[in-house]
Amino acid sequence: MQRITELMTSQTTLYDLNSALSRITKTQAQLSSGKRITQPSDDPYGASLAVQLNSQLDGLDSYNRNVNDGTAWTQATDSSLMSMNDIAQRVRTLTVGAANGTNNASNLAAAAGEVDQLTDALKQAANATYNGQYIFSGTSNKQPYANGTAGDAYQGNSGPGSQITRQIGPGATNTVTINTDISGLLGQGLTGPGDNGLLTVFETISNDMKTGNTTNLSTDLKNLDANMSTLQGLEANVGATESRLSLASSRIGDLQLSTTQILSNDEDVDMAQASIDFSTQQAAYTAALQASAKIVQSSLLNFLQ
Amino acid sequence: MTISSFMGLQTALRGLQASQEAIDTTGHNIANANTPGYSRQRVDMTESPSLTIPANSNVDGAGVQLGTGVDITTITRVRDTFLDVQYRAQNSNENEAQTQSTILDQIQTGLAEPSGNGLSKAMSDFWKAWSDFSNAPTQQAGAQAVINAGQTLAQTFNTVDAQLATVQSQVGQQFSQLISSSGQVQSDASQIASLNKSIAAAQAAGQNPNDLLDQRDKLLDDLSSLATTTSSVDSQGMLTVNFGGAPTPLVQGTTVSMPTATDLTPTSGGQIGALLGLYDAAAGGTGTIQTSYRDVLDKIAKQVNDDVNTAYQAGDPTVPDFFEWNPVSTPAATIQVNPAVTALNVRAGSNPADPLGQDVADAIANLKGQGPDQAYAGFVAQVGSDVQSAQNAQQTAQSLLGAIGNQRQSVAGVSLDEEMTNLISYQRAYQASSRMMTTIDGMLDTLINHTGTVGL
């Protein structure tokens, strides 16, 4: 039989009470912080995962902001294109009216005056901005069309390198192009090198009205229709971009939810488990305290006279 | 031959003396029940040499051996030196693990992960700022946010590195303090040397200096917490102590030879071994803090620095770097946003003709989750598992130490129940010897005062 001394009993008691208390303290810290991992050593792999997941969540947050910004941009684009469409429609109505040959010179001059106004309106629509940025200037951020009579040359850039994109996921290719190139649609007007863009057509219509050249007007009408169908094509593209962004937004939302859940599983404490642990540990600690209070108290001395 | 009338008195006296000595020893044990390092003492008694009574002096002619009572041979301390050796070895292990775990815990605390205030958050915010900047490259606010996030990231690197450096230098100070002339090694060793002298003198005089031996053993226990110790006792009873694998014994006879810093190594064990394991290689350590933590942090800082600069320059070396660090020092300690890059000139696109260009900002934002982020997550896992294994080692060592300590206590410790029982038996023996004396006294009284008084 092992010989037991008082010091052994009290030291063992102290050690056991200490470890019981330290277990309780740990569980209590978990319960009050709600976190299973408060420092890397609690679970090195879990902590590293938490670091990565938190960074992923921040990334998703960024992508979400990008999508929202891209959506606002495409909406601005959409409304500009719609007003261009309205303008073209009005010009078309005027042209059809002017082409039927029953108008006198002053009627035609009035119609021509309105077409000139609409030409300016078209340029204004093309000069729309979002958040201080010209939405139709490529990446140059220059006002795409000069006001008034300064000529109709496109001031922005186009082609490769002029795309404005929004990152909707990790990786260099996970992007959506949000800007629309309208330089081809509008063309450079009659002062330009010669094209059949909207500006050229508008200006030609205005000139033909002024000169009463109704025969030309029907050719102009065909050119106008061709441009309007291009415009509608652009609108369809913008709509497609918007729906792609909206899909991306809901996908990011799903990812945020699932990542948050994984993170919570990883670093959050299982409250039910921790509560049960806590009461078990507390019961054990109380029992240990009671037992040691009795054992350590008594010795042979209590019974000697 | 006749027996002296007073012989019984002598026998009773010896009994009284032996009981008294035993009671005094019991008192000594009780008084030291809680003294650290005390081993209980036991009075060894034996019968005193008997008196031979020759054959012819007896009625039937046969000789007898008459008992003359008790003798105290020695007072010995009850102690198992084998357990002492085990205890000291385990004590070194426990203290090594404890020291290691405490220091690594400080490093871990310095990282402040995964609290959302550490480097991972700063990096994440930095990538986020670039992503926002890419959405609106012409906005001054976005440019300013990028610069601010860069400065925060750089400062967080500086802070974490400074914290590691502080821990590192504290480890060095602790080590030099321990082996300095006012340190614990010197003080314990000198006390052992002076105890050696007293013990040798006492033993030469044939005494058993139990309490001095206990004190010396206690000092040896203390030394074993600092580094591994081995010891041997020479013919004079002097203790030779080898300490931490140093070539010269720390104590030999009455001489103390302090180990130099290079005598001790990370394998010295105990607190010193742990400190040296973490301390700089240049000072004879393994340099774990430097190689496993600071160097890794430097690597991550350099990676951030290089990756961001490459993306920021986008192949044009005339563009100023975004981050810079002082090559005289280390990347983590000195990384900062290049003062030449300000909110007014920080660029989101590589082509100055395109104010809405965003290729640079996108390239930097896309660094997120790449090299530096991954390296840092790995670093956090590394630190965490180092601390965890140190803590586990410490717990194992602690419970082993507790078990051996208990065994040692079981042999050497004072049991009050036992002492009380002994006290009762010695007290009764003392009472009985006194009664013996009274009885003999009564016999002598009869013999002297009441014999030959017939007719008086």
Side-chain angles (χ1 to χ4, degrees):
Chain A
M1 191 191 74
Q2 202 194 12
R3 190 173 165 273
I4 306 290
T5 71
E6 277 73 17
L7 203 62
M8 279 165 78
T9 320
S10 58
Q11 271 173 356
T12 312
T13 308
L14 188 64
Y15 176 76
D16 290 345
L17 285 178
N18 262 337
S19 18
L21 193 59
S22 104
R23 275 195 296 273
I24 291 185
T25 313
K26 188 152 193 176
T27 315
Q28 199 176 25
Q30 287 187 343
L31 278 171
S32 58
S33 69
K35 298 273 179 237
R36 184 176 68 87
I37 304 172
T38 49
Q39 44 188 4
S41 62
D42 292 339
D43 178 357
Y45 173 73
S48 154
L49 190 65
V51 165
Q52 283 171 317
L53 288 173
N54 271 319
S55 149
Q56 255 177 42
L57 274 178
D58 276 346
L60 288 173
D61 196 28
S62 280
Y63 300 141
N64 210 10
R65 279 149 83 155
N66 296 350
V67 165
N68 289 342
D69 185 78
T71 309
W73 180 293
T74 49
Q75 275 165 358
T77 311
D78 204 16
S79 65
S80 290
L81 290 180
M82 259 157 68
S83 56
M84 287 184 197
N85 199 23
D86 292 348
I87 291 164
Q89 203 63 253
R90 177 67 190 149
V91 172
R92 189 174 192 286
T93 315
L94 289 171
T95 314
V96 171
N100 66 12
T102 58
N103 298 294
N104 61 24
S106 70
N107 282 349
L108 284 175
E114 189 174 347
V115 170
D116 289 345
Q117 293 292 325
L118 288 167
T119 309
D120 282 348
L122 181 69
K123 285 197 270 188
Q124 270 162 24
N127 289 343
T129 59
Y130 161 72
N131 197 14
Q133 308 163 70
Y134 288 104
I135 55 180
F136 293 118
S137 74
T139 54
S140 74
N141 205 26
K142 287 183 188 144
Q143 183 175 327
Y145 293 95
N147 297 325
T149 54
D152 297 329
Y154 173 62
Q155 305 296 318
N157 57 1
S158 56
S162 69
Q163 281 90 11
I164 290 177
T165 57
R166 289 293 174 260
Q167 198 81 34
I168 56 164
T173 53
N174 222 335
T175 55
V176 174
T177 305
I178 54 164
N179 65 339
T180 306
D181 183 4
I182 55 162
S183 61
L185 173 70
L186 264 64
Q188 310 211 1
L190 286 176
T191 52
D195 58 55
N196 272 331
L198 262 184
L199 287 171
T200 317
V201 174
F202 278 19
E203 283 157 11
T204 316
I205 289 173
S206 162
N207 287 343
D208 289 343
M209 282 174 173
K210 284 171 191 156
T211 55
N213 189 345
T214 47
T215 349
N216 266 1
L217 280 178
S218 47
T219 325
D220 296 341
L221 207 54
K222 274 187 206 143
N223 287 338
L224 181 59
D225 284 348
N227 275 319
M228 282 176 74
S229 105
T230 313
L231 177 58
Q232 277 146 17
L234 290 179
E235 281 188 284
N237 277 343
V238 174
T241 308
E242 275 185 88
S243 81
R244 207 182 146 197
L245 287 171
S246 134
L247 273 178
S249 169
S250 55
R251 183 179 52 85
I252 291 168
D254 288 350
L255 275 175
Q256 276 176 326
L257 187 66
S258 60
T259 312
T260 311
Q261 269 171 0
I262 298 172
L263 180 64
S264 164
N265 283 343
D266 179 49
E267 69 170 4
D268 287 355
V269 74
D270 178 349
M271 280 294 173
Q273 180 70 51
S275 307
I276 291 172
D277 285 354
F278 185 67
S279 28
T280 317
Q281 286 161 359
Q282 204 173 29
Y285 182 57
T286 316
L289 278 178
Q290 277 173 352
S292 37
K294 285 191 177 137
I295 293 171
V296 177
Q297 228 174 39
S298 55
S299 83
L300 188 58
L301 275 169
N302 297 56
F303 306 99
L304 291 176
Q305 296 297 313
Chain B
M1 174 178 168
T2 52
I3 306 161
S4 153
S5 309
F6 301 109
M7 182 173 151
L9 278 177
Q10 285 303 317
T11 308
L13 178 62
R14 282 170 191 240
L16 280 175
Q17 280 170 339
S19 299
Q20 192 186 359
E21 213 162 311
I23 285 173
D24 287 345
T25 305
T26 305
H28 186 52
N29 280 344
I30 292 172
N32 284 301
N34 291 321
T35 306
Y38 179 75
S39 12
R40 69 189 161 111
Q41 293 179 10
R42 192 179 55 204
V43 178
D44 291 328
M45 300 181 196
T46 182
E47 309 93 323
S48 54
S50 50
L51 194 63
T52 308
I53 299 171
N56 56 5
S57 63
N58 259 28
V59 179
D60 60 0
V64 289
Q65 300 263 320
L66 182 62
T68 59
V70 66
D71 260 346
I72 304 259
T73 48
T74 48
I75 297 177
T76 48
R77 52 181 199 142
V78 184
R79 198 170 177 111
D80 183 344
T81 47
F82 183 63
L83 284 175
D84 282 346
V85 172
Q86 281 187 40
Y87 179 86
R88 283 168 199 147
Q90 207 53 53
N91 195 24
S92 296
N93 289 344
E94 202 269 343
N95 274 281
E96 183 172 10
Q98 168 89 54
T99 308
Q100 214 164 25
S101 131
T102 311
I103 294 168
L104 290 179
D105 200 34
Q106 287 174 10
I107 290 177
Q108 164 173 281
T109 312
L111 294 184
E113 295 294 352
S115 69
N117 303 320
L119 255 179
S120 67
K121 182 68 184 160
M123 282 208 263
S124 196
D125 284 349
F126 181 64
W127 311 133
K128 216 167 165 175
W130 278 102
S131 172
D132 289 345
F133 186 38
S134 153
N135 287 348
T138 53
Q139 304 267 321
Q140 186 77 30
Q144 190 60 54
V146 162
I147 301 287
N148 290 350
Q151 279 163 350
T152 309
L153 175 58
Q155 278 160 11
T156 312
F157 267 118
N158 303 158
T159 315
V160 171
D161 187 66
Q163 241 143 7
L164 296 188
T166 310
V167 174
Q168 197 177 13
S169 74
Q170 274 172 359
V171 166
Q173 282 166 11
Q174 249 174 300
F175 171 65
S176 356
Q177 165 65 30
L178 273 178
I179 61 162
S180 74
S181 56
S182 60
Q184 205 192 332
V185 176
Q186 171 76 56
S187 125
D188 285 353
S190 331
Q191 288 183 62
I192 289 180
S194 82
L195 280 168
N196 267 349
K197 196 175 172 190
S198 319
I199 287 169
Q203 286 187 344
Q207 291 161 2
N208 218 2
N210 291 324
D211 298 313
L212 297 181
L213 290 170
D214 275 351
Q215 285 174 28
R216 196 173 65 179
D217 280 335
K218 175 75 177 66
L219 287 167
L220 204 51
D221 284 356
D222 289 350
L223 272 181
S224 74
S225 72
L226 303 177
T228 47
T229 53
T230 51
S231 59
S232 56
V233 180
D234 67 12
S235 55
Q236 291 176 287
M238 296 213 197
L239 194 67
T240 304
V241 182
N242 289 297
F243 182 75
T248 327
L250 176 65
V251 183
Q252 188 159 34
T254 56
T255 345
V256 174
S257 340
M258 280 298 280
T260 61
T262 47
D263 286 342
L264 299 167
T265 63
T267 54
S268 290
Q271 289 180 23
I272 287 178
L275 291 173
L276 280 176
L278 294 163
Y279 193 44
D280 292 5
T286 314
T288 305
I289 294 183
Q290 186 66 47
T291 56
S292 300
Y293 307 118
R294 288 191 72 185
D295 287 357
V296 176
L297 191 71
D298 277 340
K299 233 162 125 182
I300 299 172
K302 182 151 191 322
Q303 204 173 7
V304 167
N305 179 76
D306 294 355
D307 288 0
V308 170
N309 286 347
T310 309
Y312 187 71
Q313 288 183 329
D316 180 0
T318 60
V319 173
D321 283 335
F322 186 83
F323 281 125
E324 61 174 19
W325 58 279
N326 184 353
V328 178
S329 180
T330 57
T334 57
I335 187 170
Q336 60 171 7
V337 174
N338 185 353
V341 179
T342 65
L344 296 173
N345 65 13
V346 64
R347 62 183 204 161
S350 54
N351 185 351
D354 293 347
L356 294 189
Q358 48 175 195
D359 54 336
V360 168
D362 279 347
I364 296 179
N366 271 329
L367 289 174
K368 159 175 208 61
Q370 302 302 309
D373 276 359
Q374 285 173 6
Y376 184 68
F379 179 55
V380 170
Q382 182 62 51
V383 173
S385 63
D386 286 353
V387 176
Q388 195 184 40
S389 61
Q391 284 173 347
N392 287 344
Q394 194 251 327
Q395 275 166 11
T396 313
Q398 196 176 13
S399 63
L400 280 174
L401 181 67
I404 294 173
N406 249 345
Q407 282 181 31
R408 204 160 77 138
Q409 262 294 309
S410 171
V411 174
V414 176
S415 160
L416 289 179
D417 290 348
E418 192 181 82
E419 298 303 330
M420 292 319 293
T421 315
N422 287 345
L423 187 62
I424 293 168
S425 44
Y426 294 138
Q427 188 190 11
R428 289 296 177 201
Y430 188 86
Q431 286 170 346
S433 295
S434 312
R435 174 53 55 109
M436 176 75 196
M437 205 162 249
T438 316
T439 308
I440 292 168
D441 183 39
M443 283 159 58
L444 292 176
D445 181 45
T446 309
L447 184 68
I448 297 166
N449 294 329
H450 303 288
T451 310
T453 56
V454 178
L456 278 181

